[in-house]
Amino acid sequence: MSEWNDKVVLVTGGTRGIGRAVAASFVARGAAVTLTGRDEASAQRVAESLGEKASGVAMDVTVRKTVDEAVKAIVTTHGRIDVLVNNAGITRDGLLMRMPLSDWESVLDTNLNGLYHCSQAVLRPMIRQRSGRIINMSSVVGVMGNAGQANYAASKAAMLGFTKALAREVASRNVTVNAIAPGYIETDMTRDLPDDATDALREAIPLKRIGQPEDVAAAVLYLASEGASYVTGQVLQVNGGLYM
């Protein structure tokens, strides 16, 4: 517990799925966690369910003003920010031949531009305190591709290049930047798949199971811990062996 008691964590897209599991894992270990969602009532409701060390705020990662306001409030309240988990993301699936420009742009705006806004917003306080962890939630799709997800794959692949470049920029200030590439995780995005599709996915995974949000949360905790202080610019695959 002592490692996390004074830590301040920001988790974007923290109201459900992986983001909620990440927020819950930090709170359970004593960290002060701010989780965000586009709907303030939903974010606050989830935060209340996690405990008194969690708070929920409305933030749209595509709107810089809301990002800056959230980060400023955290630093004003706690005096620092130790961990940013860039988890907010969306999908708009479809074959590229028929994909409307709006679906391409909305996915890139949230998944990639949101990454830029949030990371840039926390850099000044992290550099000033000469410590910090930025953890970016990519995807196995960004590594291996997937038909019908050209927009999503492009955003998640770009996230890996962003991670490595930023890691080089801020390493001298003791700020590490890493990415996690989850495989198929049981979330709202995958829960609605037909049974036969889910069975086929399970068979393609060497560990023969769909991952749980807690599997990803455990990887986030590692990268945020002192045990990972010499790890930066890396991509941690959490996919059950789907991609090796």
Side-chain angles (χ1 to χ4, degrees):
M1 291 283 287
S2 59
E3 178 180 348
W4 303 104
N5 280 344
D6 297 324
K7 298 299 184 182
V8 180
V9 180
L10 172 60
V11 181
T12 70
T15 60
R16 58 182 183 171
I18 291 172
R20 189 185 190 284
V22 168
S25 294
F26 278 114
V27 170
R29 286 159 177 80
V33 177
T34 298
L35 61 91
T36 77
R38 290 188 176 182
D39 178 63
E40 185 170 8
S42 176
Q44 291 179 346
R45 185 167 56 250
V46 171
E48 288 172 4
S49 74
L50 297 182
E52 62 180 17
K53 299 208 73 171
S55 59
V57 299
M59 189 178 86
D60 183 342
V61 298
T62 69
V63 180
R64 183 55 180 263
K65 182 174 184 289
T66 70
V67 174
D68 286 340
E69 287 174 348
V71 172
K72 182 180 179 181
I74 292 169
V75 175
T76 299
T77 300
H78 300 283
R80 60 188 297 112
I81 181 165
D82 298 292
V83 181
L84 166 65
V85 182
N86 279 310
N87 175 72
I90 63 170
T91 58
R92 295 288 186 271
D93 295 348
L95 296 176
L96 186 65
M97 185 170 61
R98 295 193 292 269
M99 182 179 292
L101 180 60
S102 59
D103 284 357
W104 173 268
E105 291 180 334
S106 63
V107 169
L108 271 290
D109 195 20
T110 297
N111 298 2
L112 193 54
N113 292 345
L115 174 72
Y116 159 79
H117 291 310
C118 295
S119 299
Q120 192 178 65
V122 303
L123 280 180
R124 194 173 299 277
M126 284 185 176
I127 288 172
R128 185 168 57 245
Q129 69 202 27
R130 296 189 69 85
S131 68
R133 302 279 193 271
I134 297 175
I135 301 166
N136 301 322
M137 202 62 66
S138 183
S139 168
V140 68
V141 171
V143 181
M144 62 183 284
N146 194 38
Q149 290 191 304
N151 48 2
Y152 185 73
S155 69
K156 294 300 184 177
M159 186 178 288
L160 303 182
F162 176 97
T163 296
K164 293 175 183 294
L166 183 57
R168 291 183 180 274
E169 290 184 15
V170 297
S172 65
R173 296 297 190 266
N174 197 34
V175 177
T176 67
V177 188
N178 292 287
I180 295 174
Y184 288 95
I185 307 297
E186 189 174 317
T187 65
D188 291 347
M189 286 187 181
T190 59
R191 201 167 287 124
D192 293 335
L193 289 172
D195 289 343
D196 56 346
T198 301
D199 291 341
L201 277 176
R202 190 178 293 110
E203 282 304 306
I205 298 169
L207 286 181
K208 302 303 179 188
R209 70 176 178 89
I210 304 297
Q212 297 299 309
E214 291 73 19
D215 294 320
V216 183
V220 173
L221 285 173
Y222 164 66
L223 290 175
S225 73
E226 287 303 312
S229 63
Y230 200 55
V231 179
T232 195
Q234 302 305 305
V235 182
L236 181 52
Q237 308 274 356
V238 184
N239 59 38
L242 178 63
Y243 181 87
M244 300 185 187

